[in-house]
Amino acid sequence: MHVISHVKLQSLLDPVISKRKAADDYLDTSTLPFEKKQRVSAARLKRKASEATSCGSRFKTRALCRTYAIADITAHLAAADNQSSTNRVLLHGAFSPAASFSGQVIFPLIISHWPFPNELVLMIFAYLPVVDLQSIVQVSRLSRDLAAPLYFLSVGLSIEQTWLLVNAQTCLALPLYSRTTSFCAPRFLRCDLLGAGDRDVRALKIFLESLIGVQNTPISSVICFDAPPGVDLASLFQLIKNLGCSSFSYSSSDSEQPCTIIPTPVPGSDLGAVCSLRRLSVDSPMFFSPCVASLTLATLRDCPLIDLSLTHTGLNSIQWAALLRNVHLPLLRTLTVDVECPPCVLANFLICHQNIGQLWIHPGQTLVQLKSQNHSSQKLRGYTSQQIPNSHLHKLDTLGGPSWYLVPLLAIIRPAPCIRNLNLRFEEDLTSNHFLGVLDVTRYFTSIQALRLSFLDASHNANHYDVPYHEHRTVPAKQLTISVRGSDPDDLLFRCHPWLSAFHELESVELQAKHTSPSEMLAVLFSCPDNPFQLKISSSDF
């Protein structure tokens, strides 16, 4: 930290004194009206007399600077009466053109009440640590407007046009930011609560409470993750709902699994009755802990959700059954659940929600295929014997997840024959053959004309793409699209080439990826003289 010596400070102040004195002399010879000149002179003389009697000799320079500063302000105000100015001046909250510091726009032009220019004050503030800046912004409105941008920069508060990025180090700066002249209500809020304490979360709540009823357009999306176990997550979630937020997402990287419960809903006591949430994504068991589970269930019961994602919840099959039995979302279109949710329970939920068109099964982290297949088959023994009326789903055309889970699910719900387009998504799965998965799933869609296969960071193991010699099933699709995202996408396209033997009615094939191989090589590889079709190779990363 640099310290400015008295001699150096005196050398910096001498030009300021000379400039103010020159302005004072000009004021004496100016052509101001007599009454105004008398008032200015009387105020200046009174100021000089009071400072001369109350201050010692060591404050003479400081008093002189202060006197000339006041005289300079008065001269500006007097000159404004005679000549209109195009620049607006910010005096305690009014807007004006911004001043620059080190080549960057930092703060609006402010009339200086210091004994030296604001530029010099900023130079001094730039050498101060965060703790001192935090104290200075609380002194006055002038010091707040000058030091706040430096303070935000020091703590790492990222303020963009529509996004506000918050972490444990910046929470304490949020209430201050809401009172600055540069404050702009964010449309999107991202909160990294890793390492945040009670004081930090309290400051975040104060900031969110200040936004209620103030902004014309409510916050559109809030993303939170990694809240410490001791944080009152229920009150924070309720506050976010009160903001009128339409999208909320929470995830946690904590490997510790808290106790999870599914409370019994109490009629007439729903905490989520007034809520605008349209999209909810929970990737943590914390929202089903005893402290938050009631609010989570009330939110699921009463929000007009169109997109719901519940992954890494820590719920067992019985808890999944209790949860989905008490939830009815008539507007729901997209659903993502853990693989721990039994297929028969999910099938019942899907049959009651006919608007669902996209279904994603999260593969989980702890289960293996054999264990899950045994678990599913045991659940299905007593369930498949029951007849489910009107079990056809007319809008379910997008599926993702392990094929060993999707097949028993489709055996119950029976997709409607009217479905013409089908999208299948494959992710990292170390136990399934993707080609056999395509055949197993598409046999329940007997009328499909267009099939899209999407691989998101899928495994490159050759065993997942092999075509068994004894396999003779076919797919009736006439249009095939293969999209690949991940490392070396063309390698996966090469492995998918033998799959064309199962498509006897193909009319067009499209390959979508960030290709690393020449398109001519792919064109030669996917050409089929016996069954010619139109081939399109496009570069995209979906």
Side-chain angles (χ1 to χ4, degrees), residues 289-305:
S289 61
C291 299
V292 196
S294 298
L295 180 59
T296 303
L297 181 59
T299 303
L300 294 176
R301 286 171 56 86
D302 299 288
C303 289
L305 293 175

Side-chain angles (χ1 to χ4, degrees), residues 35-49:
E35 295 80 2
K36 291 186 178 181
K37 184 179 296 186
Q38 287 294 104
R39 289 199 299 269
V40 171
S41 300
R44 184 170 67 251
L45 292 176
K46 182 178 180 180
R47 175 66 181 174
K48 289 183 177 180

